[in-house]
């Protein structure tokens, strides 16, 4: 089982990034997919979640209207489009796959928001 995040990096406040998470080794279309983030000295928080079929996305209040989660079950990939980035969005972003008692995590990708 692998979840490989990509797309992180350094961006100025107000900028955009698109994170990707490529999944392999399990039946991707069965799993709800989520993005979490963890900033230094803070706990891991849920950013966005999408159902196995791609419906009913939900978001943390802090990112509503700025971030969009989507998935492509044909490509076994989930995305997080992040717009209007703020310094407080800086964190390591993790991809998560969850179904029944199965729970998988990626290694994370760093997002830095700074001028």
């Amino acid at each position: 089982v692998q979840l490989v995040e990509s797309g992180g990096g350094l961006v100025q406040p107000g900028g955009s990034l698109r994170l990707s998470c490529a999944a392999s080794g399990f039946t991707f279309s069965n799993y709800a997919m989520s993005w979490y983030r963890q900033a230094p000295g803070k706990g891991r928080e849920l950013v966005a979640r999408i159902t196995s079929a791609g419906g009913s996305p939900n978001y943390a209040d802090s990112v509503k209207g700025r971030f969009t989660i989507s998935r492509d079950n044909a490509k076994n990939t989930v995305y997080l489009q992040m717009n209007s980035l703020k310094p407080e969005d800086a964190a390591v972003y993790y991809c998560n796959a969850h179904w029944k008692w199965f729970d998988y995590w990626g290694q994370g990708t760093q997002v830095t928001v700074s001028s």
Side-chain angles (χ1 to χ4, degrees), residues 2-98:
Q2 274 197 311
L3 292 172
V4 180
E5 300 100 332
S6 61
L10 173 64
V11 63
Q12 292 185 343
S16 298
L17 283 175
R18 189 194 196 204
L19 306 183
S20 299
C21 172
S24 61
F26 61 98
T27 306
F28 181 77
S29 59
N30 285 347
Y31 286 69
M33 298 299 298
S34 302
W35 287 96
Y36 286 75
R37 67 186 181 188
Q38 187 167 18
K42 296 187 177 181
R44 192 169 294 190
E45 64 168 342
L46 175 65
V47 175
R49 175 171 289 152
I50 192 167
T51 66
S52 58
S56 304
N58 56 74
Y59 300 92
D61 288 343
S62 58
V63 307
K64 280 181 182 176
R66 300 188 297 121
F67 290 12
T68 303
I69 188 171
S70 62
R71 66 188 293 161
D72 185 338
N73 284 351
K75 295 183 178 180
N76 288 357
T77 302
V78 62
Y79 306 96
L80 186 68
Q81 178 66 45
M82 306 188 294
N83 298 330
S84 303
L85 282 159
K86 304 175 181 180
E88 52 264 42
D89 294 318
V92 177
Y93 282 70
Y94 297 91
C95 177
N96 170 266
H98 181 80

